[in-house]
Every structure is written in structure tokens, then in C-alpha cells.
Amino acid sequence: MTLGPNTRSALLGQPLALSMQMVLDAVDDPQALCLDANIFYAGKQLDKNQIVVTPERATNAPDWLIHVRAAAPVEGPVVTVDLHAGCTQK
């Protein structure tokens, strides 16, 4: 799996909505990757229940887009997104 650049900007006072290109190996199934994210606004971590990570097939197959959304409006000038792939027992 290879990630491309983010295609959207974080806007102060607006809910976060980011999209990144994802190129998968032929054997990878994006629905089985267990995508997850931690999001921080100026060092303050958002609750997991405010974050949604979804894969979507891009118009130029075999690429995919990963959408990372947060309901809480962006607070402060620094947004950090730690994106994780892989299923582990919790």
C-alpha cells in the first residue's frame, strides 16, 4: 500500500475533511485494512467517536481514496492526523 498527498485543506472553524490517494497491491482489499486515525488539533486529541475513516474507489482504478473526517471544527493552526492500517486485537 502506498499513500499519496492530501487533496484537501483544513479550514479553521470547519469540520475536518481530508482525502488521500491510496495505491494497493493486487492482493490487498481496502475494506479489510482496518483503517483508523488519530486526529489532534493543536496537540489536543479528538475522541474516536468524532472520527470517520472510509476507503472509496477512485475514478482511475485501481487507485482508492481514503477519506478522513472529523465532526469537531478545526481549532488552531496545527492539525495532525496519524493514519493507521492493520488489524490488531484490542
Side-chain angles (χ1 to χ4, degrees):
M1 174 176 70
T2 304
L3 288 179
N6 173 43
T7 60
R8 294 186 171 184
S9 298
L11 299 174
L12 205 61
Q14 297 295 316
L16 185 67
L18 303 177
S19 296
M20 289 141 284
Q21 179 187 21
M22 176 174 62
V23 179
L24 298 176
D25 297 329
V27 296
D28 287 334
D29 174 7
Q31 305 299 333
L33 289 176
C34 299
L35 296 171
D36 186 29
N38 294 317
I39 298 176
F40 300 83
Y41 291 165
K44 177 184 169 192
Q45 187 171 3
L46 298 183
D47 292 332
K48 287 286 193 182
N49 62 355
Q50 296 182 313
I51 302 169
V52 177
V53 181
T54 54
E56 174 188 330
R57 176 148 328 255
T59 55
N60 54 335
D63 294 351
W64 287 76
L65 292 174
I66 298 175
H67 299 290
V68 179
R69 295 180 178 95
V74 173
E75 299 173 5
V78 178
V79 175
T80 303
V81 177
D82 293 327
L83 184 63
H84 310 272
C87 300
T88 59
Q89 295 286 342
K90 293 186 179 183

